[in-house]
Amino acid sequence: MTETTKQYRLTLVRSVAGRLKNHQACVRGLGLRRMNHSVIVPGTPENCGMINKVSYLLCVEEL
């Protein structure tokens, strides 16, 4: 990983209850466990795809 790799702070601001199973899996795959839980993830193409899919559930900040 290079020093110029973007990182994102993700916070789960909406519940995953009643959402599509693949959206729940994306949230779990990003490392988020519960409401208002925050994680820092690298800006890889895989992570960016999951962030885009469930962006309506997240607060995303670029670091």
Side-chain angles (χ1 to χ4, degrees), residues 7-62:
Q7 290 190 326
Y8 297 100
R9 175 180 289 130
L10 307 176
T11 305
L12 187 63
V13 294
R14 298 186 69 186
S15 175
V16 296
R19 306 295 177 187
L20 295 172
K21 292 292 182 188
N22 59 348
H23 288 202
Q24 291 178 9
C26 284
V27 169
R28 190 59 100 152
L30 289 167
L32 294 163
R33 297 178 179 266
R34 61 191 169 275
M35 294 263 308
N36 297 317
H37 183 224
S38 294
V39 294
I40 296 175
V41 297
T44 63
E46 295 83 5
N47 286 341
C48 289
M50 288 192 284
I51 291 168
N52 287 337
K53 183 174 273 194
V54 294
S55 62
Y56 67 100
L57 299 174
L58 305 174
C59 176
V60 181
E61 301 172 48
E62 187 174 334

